[in-house]
């Protein structure tokens, strides 16, 4: 019988080298509004999985979808400004 402990030690032996860089953490921080808006949309959709959506559920999903699209638009516009060097 093989013990999982030996496999776990081999996998986690390099954990110190696998930390995210500062640039990766900054990218995650910049994308956080999109991530949170996506989670809100998923939450609204999950609520309606086991029942027929009522008017409030439909509004909640619609609102969450609009927030997600707005967050994506904002992130895309920020990336466009960063890529172009601030000139349009």
């Amino acid at each position: 019988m093989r013990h999982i402990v030996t496999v776990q030690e081999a996998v986690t032996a390099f954990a110190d080298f696998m930390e995210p860089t500062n640039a990766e953490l900054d990218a995650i921080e910049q994308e956080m509004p999109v991530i949170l808006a996506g989670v809100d949309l998923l939450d609204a959709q999950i609520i309606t999985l086991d029942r027929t959506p009522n008017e409030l559920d439909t509004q909640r999903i619609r609102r969450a979808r609009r927030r997600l699209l707005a967050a994506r638009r904002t992130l895309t516009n920020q990336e466009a400004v960063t890529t172009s060097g601030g000139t349009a």
Side-chain angles (χ1 to χ4, degrees):
M1 179 176 190
R2 294 177 65 189
H3 295 284
I4 190 97
V5 176
T6 57
V7 175
Q8 184 178 1
E9 289 172 359
V11 172
T12 58
F14 299 104
D16 293 337
F17 302 112
M18 297 174 62
E19 294 294 321
T21 64
N22 287 336
E24 291 170 334
L25 291 173
D26 290 341
I28 292 170
E29 183 74 24
Q30 188 176 11
E31 293 175 9
M32 192 54 69
V34 176
I35 294 168
L36 294 176
V39 169
D40 288 342
L41 177 58
L42 281 174
D43 285 343
Q45 291 171 335
I46 287 170
I47 289 172
T48 62
L49 285 178
D50 61 345
R51 66 176 186 213
T52 304
N54 58 25
E55 184 62 31
L56 181 63
D57 294 331
T58 305
Q59 289 176 0
R60 184 179 294 130
I61 291 171
R62 195 176 313 132
R63 215 175 12 247
R65 189 173 288 135
R66 282 195 306 259
R67 271 182 283 179
L68 178 60
L69 290 174
R72 284 182 181 171
R73 182 187 62 229
T74 302
L75 179 64
T76 303
N77 289 339
Q78 288 173 352
E79 289 174 357
V81 169
T82 303
T83 305
S84 67
T87 59

